[in-house]
Short mmCIF file of all heavy atoms in Angstrom, two decimals:
data_model
loop_
_atom_site.label_atom_id
_atom_site.label_comp_id
_atom_site.label_asym_id
_atom_site.label_seq_id
_atom_site.Cartn_x
_atom_site.Cartn_y
_atom_site.Cartn_z
N LEU A 432 5.30 20.43 -0.59
CA LEU A 432 5.80 19.97 0.67
C LEU A 432 5.02 20.52 1.84
O LEU A 432 4.72 19.81 2.85
CB LEU A 432 7.30 20.40 0.78
CG LEU A 432 8.15 19.37 1.57
CD1 LEU A 432 8.44 18.14 0.76
CD2 LEU A 432 9.47 20.04 1.96
N ASN A 433 4.65 21.79 1.74
CA ASN A 433 3.85 22.44 2.81
C ASN A 433 2.47 21.76 2.95
O ASN A 433 1.96 21.62 4.05
CB ASN A 433 3.74 23.90 2.60
CG ASN A 433 5.04 24.62 2.80
OD1 ASN A 433 6.01 24.06 3.33
ND2 ASN A 433 5.11 25.90 2.46
N ILE A 434 1.91 21.37 1.83
CA ILE A 434 0.59 20.69 1.86
C ILE A 434 0.75 19.31 2.50
O ILE A 434 -0.05 18.88 3.36
CB ILE A 434 0.02 20.55 0.42
CG1 ILE A 434 -0.45 22.00 -0.06
CG2 ILE A 434 -1.14 19.60 0.40
CD1 ILE A 434 -0.82 22.03 -1.55
N LEU A 435 1.82 18.60 2.10
CA LEU A 435 2.09 17.29 2.72
C LEU A 435 2.28 17.38 4.25
O LEU A 435 1.91 16.47 4.97
CB LEU A 435 3.31 16.67 2.10
CG LEU A 435 3.16 15.99 0.76
CD1 LEU A 435 4.53 15.63 0.17
CD2 LEU A 435 2.31 14.72 0.86
N GLY A 436 2.89 18.45 4.70
CA GLY A 436 3.22 18.60 6.09
C GLY A 436 2.11 19.24 6.90
O GLY A 436 2.30 19.48 8.10
N GLY A 437 1.00 19.56 6.26
CA GLY A 437 -0.13 20.16 6.97
C GLY A 437 0.09 21.65 7.34
O GLY A 437 -0.53 22.18 8.18
N MET A 438 1.08 22.27 6.68
CA MET A 438 1.32 23.69 6.94
C MET A 438 0.46 24.56 6.02
O MET A 438 0.35 25.78 6.22
CB MET A 438 2.80 24.00 6.66
CG MET A 438 3.69 23.37 7.72
SD MET A 438 5.32 24.16 7.75
CE MET A 438 5.95 23.49 6.20
N ASP A 439 -0.09 23.93 5.00
CA ASP A 439 -0.84 24.69 4.00
C ASP A 439 -1.97 23.73 3.57
O ASP A 439 -1.83 22.50 3.67
CB ASP A 439 0.04 25.01 2.85
CG ASP A 439 -0.42 26.25 2.06
OD1 ASP A 439 -1.60 26.69 2.29
OD2 ASP A 439 0.33 26.73 1.17
N ARG A 440 -3.08 24.29 3.10
CA ARG A 440 -4.15 23.38 2.59
C ARG A 440 -4.22 23.45 1.07
O ARG A 440 -4.04 24.52 0.48
CB ARG A 440 -5.51 23.85 3.15
CG ARG A 440 -5.74 23.39 4.57
CD ARG A 440 -7.19 23.67 4.94
NE ARG A 440 -7.44 23.26 6.31
CZ ARG A 440 -7.81 22.05 6.72
NH1 ARG A 440 -7.93 21.09 5.83
NH2 ARG A 440 -8.01 21.85 8.01
N ALA A 441 -4.52 22.33 0.48
CA ALA A 441 -4.73 22.26 -1.00
C ALA A 441 -6.04 22.96 -1.30
O ALA A 441 -6.93 23.06 -0.50
CB ALA A 441 -4.72 20.83 -1.46
N THR A 442 -6.19 23.45 -2.53
CA THR A 442 -7.49 23.96 -3.02
C THR A 442 -8.36 22.84 -3.36
O THR A 442 -9.57 22.87 -3.08
CB THR A 442 -7.21 24.87 -4.25
OG1 THR A 442 -6.27 25.89 -3.88
CG2 THR A 442 -8.51 25.51 -4.74
N SER A 443 -7.84 21.81 -3.99
CA SER A 443 -8.60 20.57 -4.23
C SER A 443 -7.67 19.37 -4.28
O SER A 443 -6.46 19.53 -4.37
CB SER A 443 -9.40 20.71 -5.59
OG SER A 443 -8.51 20.76 -6.64
N GLY A 444 -8.27 18.18 -4.27
CA GLY A 444 -7.48 16.96 -4.34
C GLY A 444 -7.44 16.16 -3.00
O GLY A 444 -7.84 16.69 -1.99
N GLU A 445 -6.92 15.01 -3.10
CA GLU A 445 -6.73 14.14 -1.91
C GLU A 445 -5.27 14.03 -1.52
O GLU A 445 -4.41 13.90 -2.37
CB GLU A 445 -7.32 12.75 -2.22
CG GLU A 445 -8.81 12.79 -2.60
CD GLU A 445 -9.29 11.44 -3.18
OE1 GLU A 445 -8.50 10.44 -3.08
OE2 GLU A 445 -10.37 11.42 -3.75
N ILE A 446 -5.02 14.03 -0.19
CA ILE A 446 -3.63 13.84 0.32
C ILE A 446 -3.67 12.75 1.35
O ILE A 446 -4.00 12.95 2.51
CB ILE A 446 -3.13 15.15 0.95
CG1 ILE A 446 -3.19 16.32 -0.08
CG2 ILE A 446 -1.70 14.98 1.45
CD1 ILE A 446 -4.17 17.39 0.32
N TRP A 447 -3.39 11.53 0.87
CA TRP A 447 -3.42 10.34 1.72
C TRP A 447 -2.09 10.14 2.37
O TRP A 447 -1.04 10.09 1.72
CB TRP A 447 -3.78 9.10 0.92
CG TRP A 447 -5.20 9.13 0.37
CD1 TRP A 447 -5.59 9.63 -0.79
CD2 TRP A 447 -6.36 8.64 1.07
NE1 TRP A 447 -7.01 9.53 -0.95
CE2 TRP A 447 -7.46 8.91 0.21
CE3 TRP A 447 -6.59 8.04 2.28
CZ2 TRP A 447 -8.77 8.59 0.53
CZ3 TRP A 447 -7.92 7.69 2.61
CH2 TRP A 447 -8.98 7.97 1.74
N ILE A 448 -2.02 10.13 3.71
CA ILE A 448 -0.84 9.78 4.45
C ILE A 448 -1.13 8.63 5.34
O ILE A 448 -2.04 8.72 6.24
CB ILE A 448 -0.40 11.02 5.30
CG1 ILE A 448 -0.35 12.32 4.52
CG2 ILE A 448 0.91 10.72 6.03
CD1 ILE A 448 0.78 12.46 3.56
N ASP A 449 -0.48 7.53 5.16
CA ASP A 449 -0.60 6.36 6.03
C ASP A 449 -2.10 5.98 6.17
O ASP A 449 -2.56 5.73 7.27
CB ASP A 449 0.04 6.65 7.38
CG ASP A 449 0.29 5.38 8.21
OD1 ASP A 449 0.21 4.31 7.63
OD2 ASP A 449 0.52 5.54 9.46
N GLY A 450 -2.82 5.99 5.06
CA GLY A 450 -4.20 5.54 5.07
C GLY A 450 -5.23 6.58 5.43
O GLY A 450 -6.40 6.24 5.46
N THR A 451 -4.81 7.81 5.64
CA THR A 451 -5.83 8.86 6.03
C THR A 451 -5.66 10.05 5.06
O THR A 451 -4.56 10.48 4.73
CB THR A 451 -5.58 9.39 7.44
OG1 THR A 451 -5.61 8.32 8.37
CG2 THR A 451 -6.61 10.40 7.84
N ASP A 452 -6.85 10.54 4.60
CA ASP A 452 -6.82 11.69 3.68
C ASP A 452 -6.81 12.96 4.56
O ASP A 452 -7.85 13.36 5.09
CB ASP A 452 -8.10 11.65 2.82
CG ASP A 452 -8.11 12.84 1.85
OD1 ASP A 452 -7.19 13.69 1.87
OD2 ASP A 452 -9.10 12.94 1.07
N ILE A 453 -5.65 13.57 4.68
CA ILE A 453 -5.50 14.72 5.61
C ILE A 453 -6.20 15.97 5.05
O ILE A 453 -6.39 16.94 5.77
CB ILE A 453 -4.04 15.07 5.93
CG1 ILE A 453 -3.26 15.51 4.68
CG2 ILE A 453 -3.33 13.85 6.61
CD1 ILE A 453 -1.99 16.23 5.02
N SER A 454 -6.61 15.94 3.80
CA SER A 454 -7.36 17.12 3.26
C SER A 454 -8.74 17.24 3.94
O SER A 454 -9.38 18.25 3.91
CB SER A 454 -7.51 17.03 1.77
OG SER A 454 -8.45 16.03 1.39
N LYS A 455 -9.21 16.09 4.58
CA LYS A 455 -10.47 16.12 5.28
C LYS A 455 -10.32 16.54 6.78
O LYS A 455 -11.35 16.63 7.43
CB LYS A 455 -11.10 14.72 5.25
CG LYS A 455 -11.30 14.14 3.83
CD LYS A 455 -12.49 14.80 3.16
CE LYS A 455 -12.90 14.00 1.93
NZ LYS A 455 -11.82 14.08 0.85
N TYR A 456 -9.12 16.71 7.19
CA TYR A 456 -8.87 17.07 8.65
C TYR A 456 -9.45 18.45 8.96
O TYR A 456 -9.40 19.38 8.13
CB TYR A 456 -7.37 17.08 8.89
CG TYR A 456 -6.76 15.75 9.27
CD1 TYR A 456 -5.38 15.62 9.32
CD2 TYR A 456 -7.49 14.63 9.57
CE1 TYR A 456 -4.75 14.44 9.71
CE2 TYR A 456 -6.91 13.43 9.92
CZ TYR A 456 -5.53 13.34 10.00
OH TYR A 456 -4.91 12.19 10.34
N THR A 457 -9.92 18.57 10.19
CA THR A 457 -10.27 19.88 10.69
C THR A 457 -8.95 20.59 11.00
O THR A 457 -7.87 19.97 11.02
CB THR A 457 -11.06 19.78 12.04
OG1 THR A 457 -10.20 19.08 12.98
CG2 THR A 457 -12.31 18.94 11.85
#
Side-chain angles (χ1 to χ4, degrees):
L432 212 73
N433 288 350
I434 289 170
L435 280 170
M438 291 197 289
D439 203 350
R440 281 190 183 274
T442 305
S443 67
E445 299 168 11
I446 302 114
W447 294 89
I448 310 287
D449 197 14
T451 305
D452 181 1
I453 65 161
S454 73
K455 303 284 192 293
Y456 273 169
T457 62

